[in-house]
């Protein structure tokens, strides 16, 4: 089995009102339970807003630490799930379920070095 990262991208701004968010979270919990029952779930978590980020960067003189996100954008990584899946099609099926539940875009990406996914990240830039 390969591992895939399912990244949840959410728009910057005010989150949905509690009555909407409750339904979304109920749907996300149901997908999470199906992943666990299928033996696909490895790990998941939600992230605080980009404003809570701290970036550590190597500079000529040492290390520079700055507050805020590394990149500014209209969308940001709001959460993620790592799944075990036999292939990309199976991982995409979980991604579709998560997209339905969250109503947000989900990026599905294999981990580098995984069987049948080895070298993909490194080869793209060469």
């Amino acid at each position: 089995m390969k591992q895939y990262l399912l990244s949840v991208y959410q728009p910057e701004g005010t989150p949905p009102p509690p009555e909407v968010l409750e339904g979304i979270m109920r749907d996300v919990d149901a997908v999470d339970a199906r992943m666990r029952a299928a033996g696909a779930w490895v790990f998941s978590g939600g992230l605080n807003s980009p404003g809570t980020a701290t970036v550590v960067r190597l500079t000529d003189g040492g290390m520079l630490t700055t507050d805020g996100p590394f990149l500014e954008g209209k969308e940001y990584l709001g959460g993620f799930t790592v799944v075990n899946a036999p292939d990309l099609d199976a991982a995409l099926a979980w991604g579709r379920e998560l997209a339905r539940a969250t109503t947000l875009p989900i990026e599905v990406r294999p981990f580098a070095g995984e069987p049948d996914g080895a070298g993909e990240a490194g080869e793209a830039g060469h």
Side-chain angles (χ1 to χ4, degrees), residues 17-120:
E19 61 274 9
V20 173
L21 194 55
E22 286 173 15
I24 290 170
M25 293 312 300
R26 188 174 41 253
D27 292 346
V28 169
D29 288 343
V31 171
D32 183 72
R34 286 193 296 279
M35 287 179 181
R36 288 173 188 260
W41 184 91
V42 175
F43 182 79
S44 63
L47 301 171
N48 284 318
S49 70
T52 65
T54 303
V55 178
V56 179
R57 183 183 324 239
L58 179 65
T59 65
D60 291 335
M63 291 289 171
L64 175 65
T65 304
T66 57
D67 292 335
F70 176 68
L71 296 174
E72 297 288 336
K74 294 180 182 179
E75 292 182 331
Y76 63 92
L77 182 63
F80 62 91
T81 299
V82 176
V83 296
N84 285 321
D87 55 35
L88 178 60
D89 289 338
L92 288 171
W94 288 120
R96 284 189 288 276
E97 282 205 45
L98 196 53
R100 265 189 227 97
T102 63
T103 69
L104 296 170
I106 306 298
E107 178 182 88
V108 178
R109 188 185 306 186
F111 279 83
E114 292 284 319
D116 298 327
E120 289 177 12

